[in-house]
Amino acid sequence: MTQIDHQIHSLRPDASGSKAFKIIAFLYGIAAYLVFFVTILYAIGFVTGLVVPKTIDMGTDTPAAEALIVDLLLMTLFAVQHSVMARQGFKAWWTQFVPKPIERSTYVLFASLSLLLLFWQWRPLPPLVWDVANPGLAVTLITLSFAGWLLVFTSTFIINHFELFGLHQVANHLAGKRAEPPRFKTPLLYKFVRHPIYLGFIIAFWAAPTMTAGHLLFAAVTTAYIFVGIALEEHDLVALFGDEYRQYKQRVSMLIPWRKSV
Ligand SMILES: C[S@@+](CC[C@H](N)C(=O)[O-])C[C@H]1O[C@@H](n2cnc3c(N)ncnc32)[C@H](O)[C@@H]1O
């Protein structure tokens, strides 16, 4: 058994546990999923500036330098939490304390809470970088942004929405089933790009008719973080799936379907 095989084995949700624990774990999984769902809906409003009470261009009036530091700290907190807790080594360590069936739900809950903290504490940076005056172009950009969010949602369902957000694991545990080990998949959009979810986020963050300095900071830092996240994720995927993933990387672009990219 390789080290990775051992880690995967140790991450599989345990089919054991009392009925009461299984029910509590299931309810916890549903609660974590609902928190995630509210957070992602809020994220759409936060970035597009629509519907929600506090958007990326609202918040406490703060001197620019202070706003820059606060916003960078909030994004760093999210990036560190999101990346560190997703690594196989970290999962193998913390499942000594967190029951395996609820490991993914706990990850989803922590990621959602750090995003909610970002939305709450975000400081606006109002200077305009661009403001599209042409109504047709403005509508095209906002439509493109929603197309980005749609790409994110669709891709999660294509790869496995309920497993990504922990519901599959708690439902399996409740039913007394052992989870299957992770499988390499290239369904639909994954045949054209390796990271359609991340592509959707990039489109959603950049396609804005009004781009303030604060929004630009958010789009630039999250895009940089996505590239770091891809490097870390692909390192793990190569360790998990070996040549299958190496060949996939050679065959299929990272983000842009019509251009072979690394
Ligand atoms: C948030 S999803 C993002 C998936 C992909 N990077 C994207 O942008 O669509 C991250 C999870 O998907 C898994 N994953 C990514 N590509 C995969 C593939 N081709 N087959 C199976 N799992 C994959 C990773 O191991 C990780 O647990």
Side-chain angles (χ1 to χ4, degrees):
M1 196 183 257
T2 65
Q3 196 196 353
I4 282 287
D5 289 340
H6 178 76
Q7 286 173 351
I8 298 294
H9 184 76
S10 66
L11 286 174
R12 278 181 210 163
D14 196 340
S16 67
S18 70
K19 191 73 189 166
F21 171 71
K22 286 178 179 172
I23 292 170
I24 291 167
F26 182 68
L27 294 176
Y28 172 80
I30 290 182
Y33 181 82
L34 290 178
V35 173
F36 148 76
F37 204 77
V38 170
T39 307
I40 198 79
L41 287 183
Y42 198 97
I44 299 175
F46 183 77
V47 175
T48 54
L50 298 170
V51 183
V52 299
K54 181 174 186 271
T55 72
I56 200 162
D57 296 318
M58 292 176 181
T60 319
D61 259 349
T62 315
E66 192 184 320
L68 184 69
I69 292 170
V70 171
D71 295 347
L72 284 174
L73 281 175
L74 290 166
M75 288 189 283
T76 306
L77 180 73
F78 172 76
V80 169
Q81 176 276 323
H82 195 253
S83 290
V84 171
M85 287 180 75
R87 304 282 66 82
Q88 297 293 343
F90 183 89
K91 290 184 195 178
W93 172 75
W94 84 311
T95 46
Q96 295 172 82
F97 319 106
V98 176
K100 288 167 198 166
I102 58 165
E103 183 276 325
R104 188 71 191 177
S105 297
T106 307
Y107 171 77
V108 168
L109 184 61
F110 275 48
S112 304
L113 293 179
S114 59
L115 268 184
L116 290 173
L117 177 70
L118 184 148
F119 303 150
W120 175 40
Q121 284 302 320
W122 181 265
R123 305 289 196 269
L125 280 160
L128 279 178
V129 181
W130 70 70
D131 191 18
V132 174
N134 181 308
L137 185 55
V139 170
T140 307
L141 282 172
I142 201 81
T143 308
L144 195 59
S145 170
F146 278 107
W149 287 109
L150 188 65
L151 179 60
V152 170
F153 272 104
T154 317
S155 305
T156 65
F157 282 100
I158 289 173
I159 191 96
N160 195 345
H161 181 87
F162 297 108
E163 195 176 309
L164 265 185
F165 300 108
L167 278 183
H168 182 76
Q169 291 84 330
V170 289
N172 247 0
H173 182 65
L174 183 65
K177 290 187 207 156
R178 272 190 174 275
E180 292 299 311
R183 276 185 311 114
F184 172 63
K185 292 176 260 185
T186 61
L188 303 171
L189 296 172
Y190 285 81
K191 291 191 173 36
F192 303 98
V193 285
R194 305 199 295 275
H195 302 285
I197 296 177
Y198 300 151
L199 175 63
F201 280 125
I202 293 174
I203 295 171
F205 296 164
W206 285 93
T210 304
M211 182 63 87
T212 57
H215 190 151
L216 183 72
L217 176 74
F218 181 84
V221 173
T222 48
T223 302
Y225 170 59
I226 282 173
F227 280 96
V228 175
I230 287 177
L232 293 170
E233 185 176 310
E234 294 203 327
H235 178 269
D236 282 356
L237 287 164
V238 167
L240 266 175
F241 302 121
D243 282 343
E244 226 175 352
Y245 200 83
R246 280 193 203 94
Q247 285 159 13
Y248 180 53
K249 278 179 80 172
Q250 281 169 3
R251 223 175 42 243
V252 174
S253 266
M254 185 194 280
L255 290 168
I256 306 171
W258 59 89
R259 189 180 150 266
K260 179 71 190 84
S261 54
V262 285

